[in-house]
Coordinates of all heavy atoms in Angstrom, one line a residue:
F43 N 8.1 -73.8 -121.2 CA 8.7 -74.6 -122.3 C 10.2 -74.7 -122.3 O 10.9 -73.8 -121.7 CB 8.3 -73.9 -123.7 CG 6.9 -74.2 -124.1 CD1 5.9 -73.3 -123.7 CD2 6.6 -75.2 -124.9 CE1 4.6 -73.6 -124.1 CE2 5.3 -75.4 -125.4 CZ 4.3 -74.6 -124.9
Y44 N 10.7 -75.8 -122.8 CA 12.2 -76.0 -122.9 C 12.6 -76.1 -124.3 O 12.1 -77.0 -125.1 CB 12.5 -77.2 -122.1 CG 14.0 -77.6 -122.3 CD1 15.1 -76.8 -121.7 CD2 14.4 -78.7 -122.9 CE1 16.4 -77.0 -121.9 CE2 15.7 -79.1 -123.1 CZ 16.7 -78.2 -122.6 OH 18.0 -78.5 -122.7
D45 N 13.5 -75.2 -124.8 CA 14.1 -75.2 -126.0 C 15.4 -76.0 -126.1 O 16.4 -75.5 -125.5 CB 14.3 -73.7 -126.6 CG 14.7 -73.7 -128.0 OD1 15.0 -74.8 -128.6 OD2 14.6 -72.6 -128.6
A46 N 15.3 -77.2 -126.6 CA 16.5 -78.1 -126.6 C 17.6 -77.6 -127.5 O 18.7 -77.8 -127.1 CB 16.0 -79.5 -126.9
N47 N 17.3 -76.9 -128.6 CA 18.3 -76.4 -129.5 C 19.1 -75.3 -128.9 O 20.3 -75.3 -128.9 CB 17.7 -76.0 -130.8 CG 17.0 -77.2 -131.6 OD1 17.4 -78.4 -131.3 ND2 16.2 -76.9 -132.5
R48 N 18.4 -74.4 -128.2 CA 19.1 -73.3 -127.6 C 19.3 -73.5 -126.1 O 20.1 -72.7 -125.5 CB 18.1 -72.1 -127.8 CG 17.9 -71.6 -129.2 CD 16.8 -70.5 -129.3 NE 17.2 -69.4 -128.4 CZ 16.4 -68.4 -128.1 NH1 15.1 -68.5 -128.5 NH2 16.8 -67.4 -127.3
N49 N 18.8 -74.6 -125.6 CA 19.1 -74.9 -124.2 C 18.7 -73.8 -123.2 O 19.3 -73.4 -122.4 CB 20.6 -75.3 -123.9 CG 20.8 -75.9 -122.5 OD1 19.8 -76.5 -122.1 ND2 22.0 -75.9 -122.1
V50 N 17.4 -73.3 -123.5 CA 16.9 -72.3 -122.7 C 15.4 -72.7 -122.3 O 14.8 -73.5 -122.9 CB 16.8 -70.9 -123.5 CG1 18.2 -70.4 -123.7 CG2 16.0 -71.0 -124.7
Y51 N 14.9 -72.0 -121.2 CA 13.6 -72.2 -120.7 C 12.8 -70.9 -120.9 O 13.3 -69.8 -120.7 CB 13.6 -72.5 -119.2 CG 14.2 -73.9 -118.9 CD1 15.6 -74.0 -118.8 CD2 13.5 -75.1 -118.8 CE1 16.3 -75.2 -118.5 CE2 14.1 -76.3 -118.6 CZ 15.4 -76.4 -118.4 OH 16.0 -77.5 -118.1
R52 N 11.6 -71.0 -121.2 CA 10.7 -69.9 -121.6 C 9.3 -70.1 -121.0 O 8.8 -71.1 -120.8 CB 10.6 -69.6 -123.0 CG 11.9 -69.3 -123.8 CD 11.7 -68.5 -125.1 NE 10.9 -69.4 -126.0 CZ 10.3 -68.9 -127.0 NH1 10.3 -67.6 -127.3 NH2 9.6 -69.7 -127.9
I53 N 8.7 -68.9 -120.7 CA 7.3 -68.8 -120.3 C 6.5 -68.2 -121.4 O 6.8 -67.1 -121.8 CB 7.2 -68.0 -119.0 CG1 8.0 -68.6 -117.8 CG2 5.7 -68.0 -118.5 CD1 7.9 -67.8 -116.6
I54 N 5.5 -68.9 -121.9 CA 4.7 -68.5 -123.0 C 3.2 -68.6 -122.8 O 2.8 -69.6 -122.1 CB 5.1 -69.4 -124.3 CG1 6.5 -69.2 -124.7 CG2 4.2 -69.1 -125.4 CD1 7.0 -70.1 -125.8
S55 N 2.5 -67.6 -123.2 CA 1.1 -67.5 -123.1 C 0.5 -67.0 -124.4 O 0.9 -65.9 -124.7 CB 0.6 -66.8 -121.8 OG -0.9 -66.8 -121.8
V56 N -0.4 -67.6 -125.0 CA -1.0 -67.2 -126.2 C -2.4 -67.0 -126.1 O -3.2 -67.7 -125.4 CB -0.6 -68.1 -127.3 CG1 -1.3 -67.7 -128.6 CG2 0.8 -68.4 -127.5
G57 N -3.0 -65.8 -126.6 CA -4.4 -65.5 -126.4 C -5.0 -65.1 -127.8 O -4.3 -65.1 -128.8
G58 N -6.2 -64.6 -127.8 CA -6.8 -64.1 -129.0 C -7.9 -65.0 -129.4 O -8.4 -66.0 -128.8
T59 N -8.3 -64.9 -130.7 CA -9.3 -65.7 -131.3 C -8.7 -66.9 -132.0 O -7.5 -67.1 -132.0 CB -10.2 -64.9 -132.3 OG1 -9.3 -64.5 -133.3 CG2 -10.7 -63.7 -131.7
K60 N -9.6 -67.8 -132.4 CA -9.1 -69.0 -133.1 C -8.5 -68.7 -134.4 O -7.6 -69.3 -134.9 CB -10.2 -70.0 -133.4 CG -10.9 -70.6 -132.1 CD -12.0 -71.5 -132.4 CE -12.6 -72.1 -131.2 NZ -13.7 -73.1 -131.5
V61 N -8.9 -67.6 -135.1 CA -8.4 -67.2 -136.3 C -7.0 -66.5 -136.2 O -6.1 -66.8 -136.9 CB -9.4 -66.3 -137.1 CG1 -8.8 -65.8 -138.4 CG2 -10.7 -67.0 -137.3
R62 N -7.0 -65.6 -135.1 CA -5.7 -64.8 -134.9 C -5.2 -65.0 -133.5 O -5.9 -64.6 -132.6 CB -6.0 -63.4 -135.3 CG -4.8 -62.4 -135.2 CD -5.1 -61.0 -135.5 NE -3.9 -60.2 -135.4 CZ -4.0 -58.9 -135.6 NH1 -5.1 -58.3 -135.9 NH2 -2.9 -58.2 -135.6
K63 N -4.1 -65.6 -133.4 CA -3.5 -65.8 -132.1 C -2.4 -64.7 -131.9 O -1.7 -64.3 -132.9 CB -2.8 -67.2 -132.0 CG -3.8 -68.3 -132.1 CD -4.6 -68.4 -130.8 CE -5.5 -69.6 -130.8 NZ -6.3 -69.7 -129.6
M64 N -2.3 -64.3 -130.6 CA -1.2 -63.3 -130.3 C -0.5 -63.6 -129.0 O -1.1 -64.3 -128.1 CB -1.9 -61.9 -130.2 CG -2.9 -61.8 -129.2 SD -3.6 -60.1 -129.0 CE -2.2 -59.2 -128.6
A65 N 0.7 -63.3 -128.9 CA 1.5 -63.6 -127.7 C 1.2 -62.6 -126.6 O 1.3 -61.4 -126.8 CB 3.0 -63.6 -128.0
I66 N 0.8 -63.2 -125.4 CA 0.6 -62.4 -124.3 C 1.8 -62.3 -123.4 O 2.2 -61.3 -122.9 CB -0.6 -63.0 -123.4 CG1 -1.9 -63.0 -124.3 CG2 -0.8 -62.1 -122.2 CD1 -3.1 -63.6 -123.6
I67 N 2.5 -63.5 -123.3 CA 3.8 -63.6 -122.5 C 4.8 -64.4 -123.5 O 4.4 -65.4 -124.0 CB 3.6 -64.4 -121.3 CG1 2.6 -63.6 -120.3 CG2 5.0 -64.5 -120.5 CD1 2.4 -64.4 -119.0
N68 N 5.9 -63.9 -123.6 CA 7.1 -64.6 -124.3 C 8.4 -64.1 -123.6 O 9.0 -63.2 -123.9 CB 7.1 -64.1 -125.7 CG 8.2 -64.8 -126.5 OD1 8.7 -65.9 -126.0 ND2 8.5 -64.4 -127.7
C69 N 8.7 -64.9 -122.5 CA 9.7 -64.5 -121.6 C 10.7 -65.6 -121.4 O 10.3 -66.8 -121.2 CB 9.1 -64.2 -120.2 SG 10.3 -63.9 -118.9
T70 N 12.0 -65.3 -121.6 CA 13.0 -66.2 -121.4 C 13.5 -66.2 -119.9 O 13.8 -65.2 -119.4 CB 14.3 -65.9 -122.3 OG1 13.8 -66.0 -123.6 CG2 15.4 -67.0 -122.1

Side-chain angles (χ1 to χ4, degrees):
F43 281 86
Y44 174 64
D45 187 347
N47 293 341
R48 298 171 56 194
N49 196 19
V50 295
Y51 294 86
R52 296 200 301 161
I53 302 175
I54 296 176
S55 178
V56 180
T59 61
K60 294 182 180 180
V61 179
R62 183 179 181 183
K63 296 290 185 180
M64 58 180 296
I66 299 176
I67 300 176
N68 184 11
C69 172
T70 301

